Amino acid sequence: MEAPSPQGRHPGWPAKLGPLQVKAGVVAVRGPRLFDASAWSRIRLRDREHLERWEPTAPGTWEDRNGTLAWPGQWSSLRALARRGMTLPFVITVDDQLAGQVTVGNVIRGSLCSAWVGYWVASHVIGSGVAPAAVALVVDHCFTLAGLHRIEATVRPENTASLRVLEKLGFRQEGLFKRYLDVAGDWRDHFCFAITTEDVPDGLVSRLLANGRATIPQ
């Protein structure tokens, strides 16, 4: 599948993607909004034990970084990066309720046309098809309207849930990055996964549909 030439100053953003029906409900992906603060913070504070061990080390307490007052700054930064064409930020919804985020970052154009994808979902929807559906929607969008050619993802070897997401979607493991990222207070090894347009000529969503992992809502 040949990616189209990206149009505009920030191709591929904003966008609303989906929906897809999975076990947890109807999954859609959209740009973050300022009024997402309460729902975002509620999940992040509740799921600290689930999330903190996989996320990069950052200054300040978890409560400071994930409280309601932290969201406007994050939202503003994500929107500014998106407007500069450097990031494609999205939130995940299940039955119209916020349930996580997918971020495409370090967007590089020119002869590389590459980016990385990162994601998290609320603990109550893990294992119910939400993360694969959301990532599939976003990667397909990257390979079409956003005009990218390659998407990478890095995951700690211990993060079995995230590894399953990438394996279900057909990302290939390309190597191990030793002491790659400071996570939970120490330098951690990460597997590197990647996928290109040639790997999925019909798209990742079509792969989920064909495998019975998602359906199109009626």
Side-chain angles (χ1 to χ4, degrees):
M1 177 174 60
E2 183 179 354
S5 298
Q7 302 295 318
R9 295 175 58 190
H10 39 86
W13 192 88
K16 185 174 182 180
L17 313 175
L20 286 176
Q21 178 76 51
V22 299
K23 182 179 178 181
V26 176
V27 176
V29 181
R30 60 165 173 79
R33 300 169 183 167
L34 183 58
F35 62 72
D36 289 326
S38 294
W40 174 84
S41 178
R42 184 168 57 252
I43 295 171
R44 300 281 302 178
L45 294 178
R46 182 196 68 195
D47 286 352
R48 175 179 180 175
E49 184 177 355
H50 157 57
L51 296 170
E52 188 174 25
R53 55 182 169 160
W54 308 123
E55 299 193 356
T57 303
T61 67
W62 183 262
E63 289 74 17
D64 290 340
R65 299 197 307 272
N66 295 282
T68 302
L69 295 179
W71 177 249
Q74 293 198 34
W75 168 77
S76 178
S77 296
L78 289 171
R79 187 173 65 163
L81 289 170
R83 286 179 168 178
R84 293 164 60 188
M86 300 172 65
T87 295
L88 301 172
F90 299 98
V91 299
I92 305 166
T93 63
V94 177
D95 295 335
D96 295 322
Q97 301 299 309
L98 194 146
Q101 289 178 266
V102 180
T103 303
V104 177
N106 195 30
V107 176
I108 300 175
R109 300 290 177 181
S111 58
L112 191 58
C113 281
S114 175
W116 55 252
V117 64
Y119 49 89
W120 66 267
V121 296
S123 59
H124 69 279
V125 299
I126 291 176
S128 57
V130 173
V135 174
L137 288 166
V138 169
V139 171
D140 282 359
H141 180 69
C142 287
F143 286 164
T144 53
L145 293 181
L148 296 176
H149 173 255
R150 174 183 169 92
I151 301 294
E152 299 179 353
T154 55
V155 181
R156 285 179 58 187
E158 303 89 349
N159 193 344
T160 56
S162 189
L163 292 174
R164 284 196 298 270
V165 170
L166 298 176
E167 290 165 358
K168 288 176 183 177
L169 294 174
F171 277 70
R172 64 178 171 275
Q173 184 179 327
E174 295 190 334
L176 176 67
F177 294 163
K178 299 292 290 184
R179 295 174 291 279
Y180 174 68
L181 192 64
D182 186 353
V183 175
D186 203 357
W187 293 99
R188 312 287 184 174
D189 297 347
H190 282 66
F191 286 132
C192 176
F193 288 81
I195 197 165
T196 65
T197 56
E198 296 87 352
D199 298 322
V200 281
D202 297 322
L204 289 179
V205 168
S206 66
R207 180 174 290 179
L208 290 181
L209 296 175
N211 292 337
R213 298 185 183 276
T215 58
I216 303 297
Q218 300 300 317

